[in-house]
Amino acid sequence: MDIKAEKVNPYLDDKRPKTQQVRSMFNSIAPAYDVMNRMMTFGIDKLWRRKAVSMLKKHSACTGCRILDVATGTGDLALLLNRKLKPAKIIGIDISEKMIDIARQKYSSESKTENQQDVEFMTADC
């Protein structure tokens, strides 16, 4: 049986396209996402982000590079990459406007206290 991912909808009785359903779901959980993620992973989410940054740092000189963080969510990885690697620019994209709003708020708070590079968060569907 050949089922394409685009045809699978998260909510069977919801007749909207998959993209709209996924966007709506993440918009609805955005305010609690960070706390839920931390609890459900027992903090491993922080560990994998640090590991990813460490791996990138070992294998590339990132000063001056540009980074695209796809499915950035609330921006934690993008902001950590920014702090640790100091790239020329980071763009974080996510399908959820509410997640992007939170990422922008985090960046705004962080950029007042630290020397931040150019970070931009935008809504986009990958």
Side-chain angles (χ1 to χ4, degrees), residues 13-126:
D13 13 334
D14 190 332
K15 300 303 178 207
R16 295 176 299 165
K18 179 182 179 182
T19 299
Q20 290 177 4
Q21 289 185 37
V22 170
R23 179 179 294 121
S24 179
M25 180 197 53
F26 278 102
N27 278 338
S28 70
I29 65 170
Y33 181 80
D34 286 337
V35 171
M36 285 174 24
N37 193 26
R38 202 85 359 101
M39 289 174 53
M40 290 187 323
T41 66
F42 299 102
I44 292 173
D45 62 305
K46 285 182 159 185
L47 180 67
W48 78 254
R49 276 192 293 279
R50 286 195 305 265
K51 178 76 171 170
V53 170
S54 173
M55 290 171 69
L56 281 173
K57 197 172 195 172
K58 265 193 256 181
H59 298 292
S60 69
C62 199
T63 304
C65 73
R66 298 167 61 138
I67 297 172
L68 175 62
D69 180 13
V70 178
T72 195
T74 62
D76 287 342
L77 179 60
L79 295 173
L80 184 60
L81 287 165
N82 189 44
R83 283 192 304 272
K84 300 295 184 183
L85 301 183
K86 307 282 189 242
K89 182 166 185 84
I90 295 181
I91 298 174
I93 64 170
D94 199 278
I95 195 169
S96 165
E97 299 92 352
K98 302 282 186 187
M99 295 287 234
I100 290 296
D101 288 344
I102 293 169
R104 287 178 180 144
Q105 289 168 10
K106 287 179 180 181
Y107 175 64
S108 178
S109 296
E110 198 170 280
S111 64
K112 292 175 185 168
T113 60
E114 295 187 26
N115 181 20
Q116 292 293 308
Q117 308 304 312
D118 189 12
V119 178
E120 183 178 354
F121 292 104
M122 61 181 70
T123 305
D125 182 3
C126 66

Side-chain angles (χ1 to χ4, degrees), residues 6-18:
E6 294 79 22
K7 300 290 183 194
V8 177
N9 287 337
Y11 305 106
L12 296 177
D13 13 334
D14 190 332
K15 300 303 178 207
R16 295 176 299 165
K18 179 182 179 182

